Amino acid sequence: MTSALPYKLLAKVLPQFGYAIDDCKITLLGNGLINNTYLVQTTNKIFVLQCLNQQVFKAPLQVTHNADLISAHLKIKSDHKSYPLTPIYQLRSIDNKNHVKVQGQYWRSLHYIPQCYTLESITNLDQASAVASAFAQFTAAFSDFDSENLAEIIVNFHDLSMRIKQFQQALANAADTLLIAAQTSINFVQSQQDFIDSIAEITKDLPLRVTHNDTKINNLLFSKATKQPVAVIDLDTCMPGYVMHDFGDMIRSCCASIAEDSAELGNMSLNFDILTALTNAYIAGFNGSLSEIERKSLIFGIKLMPFMLSIRFLTDFLNGDQYFKTTYASHNLVRAKNQLQLYRLFCQQETLLTNIVLSAPASNTLG
């Protein structure tokens, strides 16, 4: 074990899952931005141990309960050959619970899938298709599951109207120096009321589904042998939602030519080959079960997710950087400008986006 690991705390947690710390090799797993996650190896078992971040997840037992419901449903689908990926499930404590509580912190154990890896970016069209198909198949697997059985882990997480209210509150309380620095971005956001209204209007008609709510490529496990997705991971924010959010966030994170905190806005462009591959595979992944209004909403989702994220970055900048981690004073403002530029580029190409979404085959005609 390394000195960075909380040895004394882990020595209390592991026995509640049936293991002595002296019999375990423990290493940090992942980037640790939200939950603290560890890989635990014993002589005959490898599993993941995770401490839930209660600053983000105010009701951790809702997270573990949702996870049990999700894995149970996906296991049934997998057993009936109607879900091609591997479900992620929580292991039980010695008391047969899906969590343990130690020193006020909530811990859980997750099964480990060997011979896999994660990616940080899409590098080719086949990869794009595989990513989109996996996320679509995940949501489509819950077509016969009542999404309202899941707790809303982060209330109003993708609710634009709530994000606007937070933005307005930040405007009212921000220091003058911050308001001056962000004035151009503030003015642009305030000029987009027609788009804000259009989101409120289409949302009224959308069905709730089980959505992942963090559809970045690094939330997939890929097989080392086949190079194909094996499992959708990081299910903590799975809850009732709309497909336009998952689709839009996937497009947002995969199709821009620069990173989301880059200030080189003049270098930003859109990769429409990747966007088309993602769109075609995502829609086909629902195998015809995507409704007409949901397909139309995907066009809105492409624009919505960078716009909403820009508002979140801008709000945090005006609030003095309380939520997102930053490495310099204007980091959140740079991020906000970046995502507003991405939103502008998508708006400028609305006709092309509409054609791509509406012309995509409803199912995989080759499969």
Side-chain angles (χ1 to χ4, degrees), residues 110-233:
L110 300 161
H111 92 283
Y112 175 74
I113 303 177
Q115 298 301 309
C116 290
Y117 63 94
T118 59
L119 293 170
E120 292 300 321
S121 61
I122 288 175
T123 56
N124 59 67
L125 298 183
D126 288 341
Q127 206 174 67
S129 295
V131 167
S133 181
F135 282 125
Q137 289 168 340
F138 176 84
T139 294
F142 291 93
S143 295
D144 56 350
F145 180 94
D146 185 352
S147 65
E148 294 189 8
N149 288 336
L150 296 182
E152 191 175 3
I153 299 299
I154 303 177
V155 178
N156 297 324
F157 184 53
H158 283 152
D159 184 343
L160 180 59
S161 63
M162 187 272 288
R163 297 300 183 185
I164 293 293
K165 289 178 183 176
Q166 292 177 332
F167 172 61
Q168 292 169 338
Q169 290 169 354
L171 285 175
N173 298 320
D176 288 344
T177 52
L178 298 180
L179 290 170
I180 292 170
Q183 196 60 57
T184 301
S185 297
I186 292 168
N187 291 345
F188 182 77
V189 168
Q190 292 176 328
S191 74
Q192 299 304 300
Q193 191 60 48
D194 286 347
F195 176 68
I196 294 168
D197 292 342
S198 72
I199 294 298
E201 191 62 28
I202 195 169
T203 300
K204 295 176 184 177
D205 299 320
L206 293 176
L208 282 172
R209 289 181 179 261
V210 175
T211 48
H212 185 277
N213 296 302
D214 193 12
T215 48
K216 296 191 290 289
I217 188 174
N218 60 9
N219 282 328
L220 292 173
L221 289 181
F222 288 79
S223 164
K224 289 182 178 179
T226 68
K227 312 303 182 186
Q228 293 299 304
V230 173
V232 178
I233 61 172

Side-chain angles (χ1 to χ4, degrees), residues 142-359:
F142 291 93
S143 295
D144 56 350
F145 180 94
D146 185 352
S147 65
E148 294 189 8
N149 288 336
L150 296 182
E152 191 175 3
I153 299 299
I154 303 177
V155 178
N156 297 324
F157 184 53
H158 283 152
D159 184 343
L160 180 59
S161 63
M162 187 272 288
R163 297 300 183 185
I164 293 293
K165 289 178 183 176
Q166 292 177 332
F167 172 61
Q168 292 169 338
Q169 290 169 354
L171 285 175
N173 298 320
D176 288 344
T177 52
L178 298 180
L179 290 170
I180 292 170
Q183 196 60 57
T184 301
S185 297
I186 292 168
N187 291 345
F188 182 77
V189 168
Q190 292 176 328
S191 74
Q192 299 304 300
Q193 191 60 48
D194 286 347
F195 176 68
I196 294 168
D197 292 342
S198 72
I199 294 298
E201 191 62 28
I202 195 169
T203 300
K204 295 176 184 177
D205 299 320
L206 293 176
L208 282 172
R209 289 181 179 261
V210 175
T211 48
H212 185 277
N213 296 302
D214 193 12
T215 48
K216 296 191 290 289
I217 188 174
N218 60 9
N219 282 328
L220 292 173
L221 289 181
F222 288 79
S223 164
K224 289 182 178 179
T226 68
K227 312 303 182 186
Q228 293 299 304
V230 173
V232 178
I233 61 172
D234 196 4
L235 308 182
D236 298 343
T237 55
C238 287
M239 52 188 166
Y242 305 117
V243 291
M244 69 174 178
H245 295 150
D246 273 5
F247 178 74
D249 203 30
M250 181 180 66
I251 296 294
R252 181 199 68 79
S253 63
C254 292
C255 295
S257 61
I258 60 175
E260 70 178 25
D261 60 355
S262 171
E264 303 296 325
L265 301 187
N267 294 330
M268 183 184 288
S269 61
L270 303 174
N271 189 324
F272 282 101
D273 291 334
I274 294 289
L275 193 152
T276 301
L278 289 168
T279 302
N280 289 344
Y282 190 79
I283 292 174
F286 283 88
N287 199 28
S289 67
L290 205 62
S291 66
E292 183 179 349
I293 188 67
E294 285 180 302
R295 182 190 280 243
K296 181 182 177 184
S297 77
L298 301 184
I299 304 165
F300 289 82
I302 293 173
K303 297 176 290 182
L304 170 61
M305 298 312 288
F307 182 68
M308 184 155 51
L309 186 56
S310 71
I311 291 172
R312 293 178 63 196
F313 285 141
L314 192 54
T315 298
D316 200 33
F317 173 76
L318 295 172
N319 285 334
D321 303 326
Q322 298 176 6
Y323 185 86
F324 295 105
K325 291 183 179 180
T326 59
T327 57
Y328 56 92
S330 61
H331 199 167
N332 273 325
L333 181 57
V334 167
R335 289 164 168 159
K337 290 179 177 179
N338 178 295
Q339 291 299 291
L340 285 177
Q341 177 64 7
L342 185 56
Y343 167 72
R344 287 190 189 94
L345 292 180
F346 283 138
C347 289
Q348 290 168 7
Q349 299 293 335
E350 179 149 7
T351 299
L352 179 55
L353 295 177
T354 300
N355 289 338
I356 291 172
V357 171
L358 297 187
S359 64

Side-chain angles (χ1 to χ4, degrees), residues 1-8 10 25-29 37-38:
M1 293 182 59
T2 69
S3 59
L5 299 178
Y7 182 89
K8 291 183 179 179
L10 289 169
K25 176 185 177 183
I26 306 172
T27 53
L28 285 168
L29 187 64
T37 306
Y38 308 92

Side-chain angles (χ1 to χ4, degrees), residues 49-63:
L49 187 67
Q50 188 173 74
C51 182
L52 293 171
N53 184 334
Q54 293 179 70
Q55 296 299 313
V56 175
F57 303 117
K58 306 296 185 183
L61 296 188
Q62 289 184 346
V63 174

Side-chain angles (χ1 to χ4, degrees), residues 14 18-26 40-45:
L14 281 165
Y19 301 94
I21 194 167
D22 290 340
D23 297 330
C24 300
K25 176 185 177 183
I26 306 172
V40 181
Q41 297 173 269
T42 71
T43 54
N44 57 6
K45 181 81 171 180

